[in-house]
Amino acid sequence: MIQEPISTEETWLQGIPVSPGIALGKIKIQISGSKEPVAYEISPEEVDAELVRFHQALQTTADQIRTLRERMIQISGEKDASIFDAHILLLQDKVILQQVQTELLKRLQNVEHIFYVVMQNYMEVLRRVDDPYLRAKTADMEDVMQRVINNLRSTEPLEDEEEAEEAQVLVAYDLTPSDTAAMDASLIHGFATEIGSSVSHTAILARSMGIPAVVGLDQALLRVESHAPAILDGYKGVLILKPTQETVEYYNRLQVEKEKAYKALEALRDLPTITRDGRNIRLSVNVEFPHEYSGIKEVGAEGVGLFRTEFFLLGNPAGMPDEEEQTRYYKKLAEGCAPHGVIFRTLDSGGDKLPCERLCTPEPNPFLGWRGIRVSLSRPELFKQQLRAILRACADTPGCGIMFPMISGYTEVVTAKHILQECREELEKKNVPYARDLKVGIMIEVPSAAIMTDVLAREVDFFSVGTNDLTQYTIAVDRVNNRVANMFRPTHPAVVRIIGMTITAGERENVPTAICGEMAGDITLLPLLIGLGATSMSVGVHLVPIIRYAIRNLDYGQCRDMAQKALQAPNSRTIVDLSTALARKSYPALFE
Ligand code: PEP
Ligand code: MG
């Protein structure tokens, strides 16, 4: 392939905006994911040089891991840092090193490719074993392999993470949710990826962490230059390479203005989220990490409407936290949000979330596989640990709730409730205090559950619509595949009707419906959701001030009339136009 020369002039690359904000910094390229390194032939005389390169990369990797280990000890102690000892042992594994040498001599190909092939063979064997502990080791192997390959790829060793202090704009082919979760926001001021979508968990995490992000920047890696200055505009979805002084000044001014506007909205934090004609809407937040806790009170949210517990349960390299650790963790959040409650969603693993190796082997269709409540029901001991921890954690904080994800029908709901009841009885027997008023709800994100909401409403205290998965499963459009991203429309008439049906079925049984998918944070679609009858919105922390302002400027009566028309509309375009027109009329300032 002939690569275009990298331009010396200001260049604008257009992608999809997924996390608002502006980042100015130097480009940092991240080659990640297990993309197979390009293979090329070498001569027998080059073998020794390849081996030297390989051993240097192993050494650099070991040094980086030791630095990470030290940092982890400071943050959370020896126990969590032990994972890095295992990584260093892997780098010294004689069998792997010997095999790389043998294959190098035999195949006469570059060493990163040989190393990749050798590691893939080992991982494949591990993925097939029954023992979940051994299977989980593939994630470690993948991690170490990637570091070594990155170090082999760069002409200079990877920057020492401690030393790189200037603001960076990260550019990658793709980022996993765990790459994003591990990002140091004080260093990485924004990121751009070649692929991705706005409802992937990587994008959701970027918004939670307040990191501006743009995805879908086709061939960005071919056009960027490491360390070159850049601006990432997370509002418009643009990555500007080598900006002129004029552009830099414009963005500096814009950044100040945006911050000022945000602060003005924050000043409304103590005002109720009520429409102009008096309809109360509960405005709560979606949370993934503890560092978001402080923001919940700062923005004046009414507690947490969706706590995605999987990031805590699966994100810890040292293993799944036990019941005691979970209780402490959940309690801290519940107490921090009092007097408002927290809705704890039980483990929702699978799909594009964190690597599931700890629980299962990789699946051919992860979004249609062993996800959400399916995992919990087939691992009752794991499930009960989490249920007891939530019950105990909320003993002194009224108003909390528990929510089951990926419900597809009645039997799952009654089985999950039955197990919850067993947990209550176990705690009762042991005289352990627990929340007696814990509300029980379900996520409506699978069409089969939505169709059954009249029946399910008799079993639960609330519904929460996960519009990300509901859209994915209703229209059969993968939420993380950017090839079909233009078809991913939460305003598809079928999705809108399903949301309407759910709310109406709930109202008949006095079961309120919340919206917690990304649709709830879209100011153009807010009139539609309010008009359909949703009484609660759960959004990313940073969106709370904007959504509060928008709700306070809406008229429920007008929203309801508009939603009735939307329910009759034949296509998504008409629905978007109807809702956007009312949004623009109600809060024009948010569209300036
Ligand atoms: C959803 O599917 O809309 C949802 C809120 O859950 P998650 O994004 O975690 O799958
Ligand atoms: Mg979901």
Side-chain angles (χ1 to χ4, degrees):
M1 177 170 48
I2 300 171
Q3 190 173 325
E4 275 180 56
I6 290 178
S7 171
T8 52
E9 292 184 351
E10 175 175 299
T11 311
W12 289 49
L13 305 180
Q14 180 68 55
I16 306 165
V18 295
S19 179
I22 291 158
L24 290 94
K26 298 269 168 71
I27 292 283
K28 178 184 163 83
I29 298 176
Q30 177 164 314
I31 309 287
S32 65
S34 37
K35 277 174 74 190
E36 186 171 345
V38 178
Y40 56 86
E41 285 177 12
I42 57 166
S43 65
E45 295 74 47
E46 285 172 310
V47 168
D48 283 347
E50 283 298 275
L51 280 172
V52 169
R53 215 159 61 79
F54 180 51
H55 284 283
Q56 275 168 354
L58 292 177
Q59 186 56 50
T60 309
T61 310
D63 293 344
Q64 288 165 348
I65 294 175
R66 282 192 195 99
T67 308
L68 283 174
R69 186 182 185 286
E70 287 311 307
R71 198 187 288 169
M72 186 60 98
I73 290 177
Q74 280 159 16
I75 297 171
S76 60
E78 278 285 345
K79 183 169 158 261
D80 289 354
S82 62
I83 180 79
F84 296 114
D85 295 333
H87 284 194
I88 291 184
L89 284 179
L90 253 173
L91 288 172
Q92 296 163 346
D93 189 310
K94 289 211 170 60
V95 182
I96 295 177
L97 300 186
Q98 185 55 52
Q99 205 170 344
V100 169
Q101 190 161 349
T102 312
E103 291 297 316
L104 192 62
L105 284 162
K106 199 164 85 190
R107 295 176 181 228
L108 291 177
Q109 285 174 317
N110 54 319
V111 73
E112 47 271 75
H113 182 70
I114 298 288
F115 179 58
Y116 175 86
V117 172
V118 168
M119 292 297 277
Q120 288 301 326
N121 285 340
Y122 277 100
M123 288 190 275
E124 198 46 44
V125 174
L126 278 186
R127 279 187 193 113
R128 288 165 197 265
V129 297
D130 267 346
D131 181 344
Y133 176 77
L134 283 179
R135 270 205 316 267
K137 288 279 156 219
T138 55
D140 291 341
M141 292 187 86
E142 178 100 35
D143 210 341
V144 172
M145 176 189 76
Q146 208 53 60
R147 273 191 174 273
V148 175
I149 291 177
N150 286 349
N151 284 325
L152 277 165
R153 270 182 179 139
S154 51
T155 41
E156 323 139 42
L158 279 189
E159 283 167 72
D160 182 339
E161 285 152 55
E162 296 287 0
E163 275 171 24
E165 271 169 9
E166 50 188 6
Q168 295 168 346
V169 173
L170 188 81
V171 182
Y173 174 72
D174 191 17
L175 292 170
T176 62
S178 43
D179 290 333
T180 314
M183 239 176 232
D184 178 353
S186 66
L187 215 59
I188 310 285
H189 287 209
F191 72 78
T193 60
E194 288 197 4
I195 63 166
S197 77
S198 69
V199 287
S200 68
H201 284 93
T202 297
I204 291 172
L205 291 185
R207 288 191 285 272
S208 298
M209 296 165 78
I211 302 180
V214 176
V215 302
L217 278 166
D218 200 24
Q219 307 222 321
L221 285 172
L222 288 178
R223 322 220 2 218
V224 297
E225 199 179 313
S226 196
H227 300 294
I231 297 173
L232 184 114
D233 179 344
Y235 298 102
K236 294 206 184 100
V238 181
L239 177 65
I240 306 165
L241 306 173
K242 299 187 182 151
T244 61
Q245 191 53 29
E246 208 183 333
T247 309
V248 171
E249 279 164 18
Y250 167 77
Y251 272 100
N252 276 328
R253 272 197 313 275
L254 190 66
Q255 209 168 15
V256 172
E257 273 167 31
K258 290 277 184 194
E259 270 162 30
K260 237 169 58 200
Y262 188 80
K263 285 263 168 311
L265 292 178
E266 268 184 335
L268 307 176
R269 50 155 290 170
D270 296 323
L271 298 179
T273 38
I274 185 167
T275 62
R276 289 201 327 252
D277 49 347
R279 185 161 166 97
N280 261 312
I281 307 290
R282 178 179 175 204
L283 180 57
S284 55
V285 295
N286 296 345
V287 166
E288 289 83 30
F289 303 112
H291 69 254
E292 295 169 81
Y293 295 2
S294 56
I296 302 172
K297 285 235 152 130
E298 266 165 41
V299 296
E302 291 175 76
V304 175
L306 165 64
F307 180 41
R308 290 182 164 100
T309 60
E310 52 277 7
F311 291 95
F312 162 57
L313 293 178
L314 301 178
N316 188 345
M320 191 85 104
D322 62 17
E323 184 176 325
E324 298 309 312
E325 202 177 337
Q326 288 190 49
T327 308
R328 281 195 297 278
Y329 192 83
Y330 301 149
K331 195 174 173 66
K332 195 165 161 227
L333 178 58
E335 286 178 350
C337 286
H340 304 295
V342 175
I343 305 295
F344 291 91
R345 181 174 74 181
T346 58
L347 176 68
D348 186 17
S349 60
D352 69 327
K353 299 257 169 79
L354 301 184
C356 71
E357 273 86 356
R358 205 172 282 154
L359 293 168
C360 67
T361 48
E363 301 182 311
N365 269 319
F367 277 109
L368 299 180
W370 203 50
R371 272 199 76 181
I373 195 69
R374 300 169 190 185
V375 175
S376 295
L377 293 183
S378 55
R379 291 288 174 88
E381 273 322 306
L382 207 73
F383 190 33
K384 284 177 107 174
Q385 248 182 32
Q386 184 174 30
L387 296 177
R388 284 191 302 260
I390 297 171
L391 283 163
R392 290 169 57 190
C394 304
D396 305 318
T397 45
C400 289
I402 201 162
M403 171 159 84
F404 303 124
M406 276 293 290
I407 290 292
S408 64
Y410 175 81
T411 309
E412 284 164 348
V413 181
V414 289
T415 313
K417 277 175 57 186
H418 178 74
I419 297 175
L420 180 63
Q421 183 54 24
E422 281 178 4
C423 292
R424 288 193 190 102
E425 285 161 16
E426 284 164 20
L427 294 173
E428 189 78 52
K429 237 189 239 157
K430 289 189 187 153
N431 267 330
V432 178
Y434 67 91
R436 286 164 195 274
D437 67 338
L438 199 73
K439 290 192 231 82
V440 179
I442 53 171
M443 297 276 298
I444 299 295
E445 45 188 355
V446 179
S448 58
I451 290 166
M452 295 297 290
T453 40
D454 55 337
V455 175
L456 300 181
R458 288 178 221 131
E459 297 298 327
V460 297
D461 300 312
F462 65 91
F463 290 144
S464 189
V465 181
T467 54
N468 311 331
D469 279 318
L470 183 63
T471 305
Q472 157 166 269
Y473 295 126
T474 305
I475 341 180
V477 176
D478 184 345
R479 68 190 265 187
V480 293
N481 181 346
N482 62 325
R483 268 196 218 157
V484 286
N486 64 339
M487 291 179 69
F488 188 92
R489 299 214 171 112
T491 45
H492 186 294
V495 179
V496 173
R497 285 184 185 203
I498 284 183
I499 298 174
M501 255 174 63
T502 302
I503 294 171
T504 309
E507 280 167 352
R508 285 198 192 111
E509 298 290 333
N510 256 333
V511 168
T513 299
I515 312 287
C516 69
E518 297 312 294
M519 191 179 182
D522 185 337
I523 53 164
T524 59
L525 304 180
L526 201 59
L528 175 68
L529 295 174
I530 304 264
L532 288 171
T535 48
S536 172
M537 301 284 158
S538 192
V539 302
V541 169
H542 298 274
L543 287 169
V544 168
I546 295 168
I547 300 295
R548 171 179 291 110
Y549 175 83
I551 291 173
R552 289 178 56 80
N553 282 284
L554 280 173
D555 180 283
Y556 172 57
Q558 288 177 4
C559 291
R560 207 181 35 210
D561 293 347
M562 181 274 296
Q564 286 312 309
K565 286 188 199 138
L567 285 170
Q568 301 311 316
N571 57 17
S572 169
R573 185 71 267 154
T574 313
I575 297 175
V576 171
D577 288 349
L578 281 166
S579 189
T580 309
L582 187 50
R584 280 183 175 276
K585 190 177 122 199
S586 308
Y587 32 85
L590 294 185
F591 290 87
E592 276 163 13

